[in-house]
Amino acid sequence: MIIANWKCNGTKKMIFSWFEDYGKEVNFVDVLPIVGVAPPSIYFGYFSRENASLKFIEWGLQDADHLDGPRTGAISVDMLIDMECDFLIIGHSERREIFKEDNDLIKEKLKSLNNRVTAILCIGENKEENNKGITRDVLKEQLDIVNGLELDQSFTVAYEPVWAIGSGLTPEPKDINEIHKFIKDVVQSNSANNLVPKVLYGGSVTDKNAESFFKEEFVDGALVGGASLDGSTFAKIVNIFSGIDKK
Ligand code: PEP
């Protein structure tokens, strides 16, 4: 699974060249991975399922509000279902930091989704926590929100070390692999249905380093920010993922 998080980036012009560049570069292999784009929601009108270059692309929201009603500026989970979105990203570190979202709120969002579309829950430690060697404790606490919940088979975690986002820095692939195994074990032990989630890696993934991550046993794909803004680069990352045989 490869997901593009465009964050608050894009213009009409960029979107049309993105579609064209992506369509030219991507390999339509027999077994296509799940590929999704989360654009800023004001641009959803361009993500028509009739668009040939987008036929195999899912689309989703970068975040949503768990309630409808008097919440100026919000887009709700029910609206996302109504518009047949395929996935919802929750708990991104920028939502936690800039918009002060805490675990309780993120849990409300997950519960309100009620397994109706794929949830992609972002978790990750900051530099200080990494330096202190408490990464696993931080991740375990962020994962507390799944405790006792019945999770859909599609439930996905994105491991995104905050210090790796947009910095060009990444952990070593083998360290990412160990953390992904840890995340799978924690969710399996704590969810009501003992679900083993898919775990994506996110943080400075490019077409140059993607292969080193995708080769690792417990890396089920990537959440890509900066490098997803160029259709051709994003397609290259998708092609690398499609070409990996983990058997
Ligand atoms: C992100 O913020 O989800 C992300 C992965 O960003 P980048 O790829 O730019 O580090």
Side-chain angles (χ1 to χ4, degrees):
M1 181 193 263
I2 309 290
I3 303 292
N5 173 13
W6 286 3
K7 311 190 185 189
C8 194
N9 292 295
T11 58
K12 283 189 280 187
K13 193 162 171 261
M14 170 261 180
I15 292 176
F16 286 110
S17 31
W18 194 98
F19 290 158
E20 206 181 314
D21 297 344
Y22 180 82
K24 271 192 213 147
E25 187 70 40
V26 77
N27 297 334
F28 287 98
V29 291
D30 289 345
V31 186
L32 282 170
I34 294 173
V35 177
V37 177
S41 26
I42 197 163
Y43 292 120
F44 274 163
Y46 294 110
F47 281 72
S48 146
R49 292 188 200 272
E50 311 310 315
N51 182 334
S53 55
L54 290 183
K55 241 191 187 132
F56 303 100
I57 294 189
E58 301 196 345
W59 58 288
L61 284 175
Q62 299 169 13
D63 189 60
D65 215 62
H66 57 300
L67 299 171
D68 303 298
R71 304 172 77 78
T72 301
I75 292 180
S76 74
V77 161
D78 285 343
M79 292 169 186
L80 155 150
I81 307 293
D82 190 36
M83 289 304 288
E84 297 166 21
C85 274
D86 299 297
F87 64 89
L88 173 66
I89 298 172
I90 52 174
H92 193 281
S93 60
E94 288 154 15
R95 299 292 316 176
R96 293 179 195 258
E97 275 175 32
I98 305 169
F99 300 96
K100 308 289 171 228
E101 294 195 2
D102 62 13
N103 250 3
D104 291 341
L105 178 61
I106 297 162
K107 182 166 190 167
E108 288 308 317
K109 294 184 186 204
L110 180 61
K111 278 169 51 191
S112 72
L113 257 189
N114 198 15
N115 294 328
R116 291 177 290 174
V117 297
T118 300
I120 302 177
L121 169 66
C122 299
I123 59 171
E125 81 287 1
N126 64 28
K127 189 74 214 158
E128 198 189 335
E129 292 159 342
N130 186 278
N131 287 342
K132 278 193 199 153
I134 56 168
T135 295
R136 283 175 166 71
D137 302 316
V138 172
L139 300 180
K140 187 152 186 314
E141 203 181 313
Q142 290 173 338
L143 285 172
D144 272 355
I145 71 168
V146 307
N147 291 0
L149 288 189
E150 188 93 19
L151 298 170
D152 188 75
Q153 289 300 318
S154 68
F155 176 76
T156 300
V157 177
Y159 169 52
E160 300 208 301
V162 179
W163 53 273
I165 293 179
S167 64
L169 304 171
T170 67
E172 289 300 318
K174 66 170 187 11
D175 295 334
I176 293 175
N177 200 44
E178 279 175 22
I179 292 286
H180 282 210
K181 173 77 174 92
F182 171 76
I183 291 169
K184 283 173 189 269
D185 289 347
V186 170
V187 175
Q188 183 179 25
S189 313
N190 295 345
S191 56
N193 52 336
N194 303 119
L195 182 90
V196 181
K198 285 191 207 54
V199 184
L200 312 180
Y201 169 69
S204 296
V205 173
T206 66
D207 53 328
K208 305 290 179 294
N209 61 16
E211 188 177 5
S212 67
F213 306 130
F214 295 160
K215 277 183 178 160
E216 296 293 334
E217 182 180 0
F218 300 111
V219 176
D220 301 314
L223 180 54
V224 188
S228 74
L229 294 173
D230 179 85
S232 164
T233 307
F234 185 65
K236 282 181 191 153
I237 296 172
V238 171
N239 292 344
I240 294 165
F241 188 70
S242 306
I244 301 265
D245 183 359
K246 287 203 183 166
K247 271 175 260 143

